[in-house]
Amino acid sequence: MENMRPPQKSVLLKVVILGDGGVGKSCLMNRFVSNRYDENNFHTIGVEFMNKDIVVDGEKYTLQIWDTAGQERFWALRTPFYRGSDICLLCYALNDRESLRHLKRWRDEFLQFADVKPEKFPFIVVGNKNDLRHEINPAEVQQWCTDQNIAIHIDTSSKAATNVTDAFVLAVQRWKHLERVAEAELRQDGETIDLTRPVRLLQKRVCCTGGGGGDGGTNGADYDDNDAHFADSAMRAPTFKTRQLFGQQRKATKAPKTNYQL
């Protein structure tokens, strides 16, 4: 009989797509998740989300993708969903120069409500509508990304299904890279816990006969009263007295006589 290996669990990542209304955020999500494109797609009201399983570098991930409304009147509806995000896609349209200029406002809004550090969070800049005539110079986009300390930029087309999956794969890879950097920094600072080393927990020995086996005033705890660090040293076993708690000789007591006869 073959040994069945348990299925590999996927990592759940929350992905938020931000950008002006009409840049193609919903089309990008629908193309990636269900490989559909709707020419007459309506503007998103509030927020919408869809799930998609993906394999990146041999590891399974479940992306929970949140599409946010780009109109200003939906500001109060979308901002509560920023917290807890793992990845943010800043989306603009290659035929709309203003949408690129507004990306800084979207980034600042996300940083304010998501409460993350900009230098340690994976932002991905996505230039959508690559199938249309470009009004933005690639060098201009690269300079904007450099100024905002964003490492990845990619052009996509939801209509032509160009680089859509690649954008999300790059986002996951960027998240993995920053996670490894954060782990390395924690190791240098000595803030990691080695789960392979055994941990000796403090225990109070209480006699099951009700006597407690203690010296009085210790509430049944059988430890040395001179060990002042008993309560504070969670990683060090206290000095216990060697005492025979069980098998002690006790005087046999006779049952009282009664006048009852059976």
Side-chain angles (χ1 to χ4, degrees):
M1 181 177 180
E2 296 182 358
N3 293 329
M4 300 297 294
R5 299 181 61 184
Q8 180 183 3
K9 295 183 179 180
S10 61
V11 179
L12 178 63
L13 298 178
K14 181 179 179 180
V15 182
V16 175
I17 306 178
L18 300 181
D20 286 355
V23 298
K25 300 186 299 296
S26 298
C27 292
L28 187 72
M29 180 181 68
N30 289 328
R31 173 63 81 178
F32 174 66
V33 174
S34 57
N35 198 24
R36 291 188 301 103
Y37 177 78
D38 187 0
E39 187 76 34
N40 300 317
N41 197 24
F42 294 99
H43 289 293
T44 302
I45 299 177
V47 293
E48 297 178 354
F49 79 93
M50 302 177 71
N51 290 341
K52 173 74 172 182
D53 294 330
I54 188 174
V55 177
V56 179
D57 299 333
E59 298 181 5
K60 295 181 181 180
Y61 297 88
T62 298
L63 302 186
Q64 188 182 82
I65 307 168
W66 291 79
D67 172 31
T68 60
Q71 287 73 22
E72 185 66 26
R73 63 180 181 272
F74 298 120
W75 174 84
L77 294 177
R78 64 174 178 260
T79 51
F81 294 93
Y82 294 172
R83 186 173 294 273
S85 299
D86 299 293
I87 298 171
C88 180
L89 269 60
L90 297 173
C91 190
Y92 71 98
L94 290 165
N95 64 338
D96 185 359
R97 182 176 297 275
E98 288 297 317
S99 64
L100 174 64
R101 186 178 304 173
H102 293 163
L103 284 188
K104 187 178 186 305
R105 175 174 61 85
W106 286 107
R107 179 176 177 270
D108 293 343
E109 179 182 286
F110 179 84
L111 291 174
Q112 178 183 356
F113 290 94
D115 192 23
V116 296
K117 296 181 180 180
E119 67 277 4
K120 296 183 179 181
F121 189 85
F123 286 100
I124 312 298
V125 175
V126 179
N128 202 19
K129 301 186 178 182
N130 191 30
D131 55 293
L132 301 179
R133 180 180 177 180
H134 294 195
E135 294 185 2
I136 303 174
N137 191 329
E140 182 180 355
V141 180
Q142 183 60 46
Q143 183 60 48
W144 188 90
C145 293
T146 302
D147 295 341
Q148 303 300 322
N149 195 26
I150 297 177
I152 298 178
H153 165 258
I154 187 173
D155 293 343
T156 64
S157 172
S158 302
K159 183 176 182 179
T162 304
N163 293 338
V164 174
T165 300
D166 294 341
F168 289 91
V169 170
L170 288 173
V172 173
Q173 290 175 338
R174 182 60 178 169
W175 174 85
K176 289 176 59 179
H177 171 72
L178 292 179
E179 283 290 299
R180 290 169 182 168
V181 171
E183 290 177 1
E185 291 178 352
L186 288 176
R187 291 192 187 98
Q188 284 185 341
D189 296 338
E191 298 182 5
T192 57
I193 299 176
D194 188 359
L195 297 179
T196 63
R197 298 182 59 185
V199 178
R200 302 182 63 183
L201 301 177
L202 298 179
Q203 298 178 352
K204 293 184 177 181
R205 300 181 182 178
V206 180
C207 181
C208 62
T209 61
D215 294 330
T218 58
N219 296 326
D222 186 26
Y223 61 92
D224 193 345
D225 295 337
N226 294 327
D227 189 358
H229 300 288
F230 176 80
D232 299 329
S233 303
M235 300 300 294
R236 184 182 61 185
T239 303
F240 289 100
K241 290 181 179 179
T242 57
R243 179 177 301 171
Q244 184 179 2
L245 296 179
F246 303 100
Q248 298 178 358
Q249 296 182 355
R250 299 178 180 271
K251 294 182 179 180
T253 57
K254 297 182 180 180
K257 295 182 178 181
T258 63
N259 295 323
Y260 299 107
Q261 293 182 358
L262 298 178

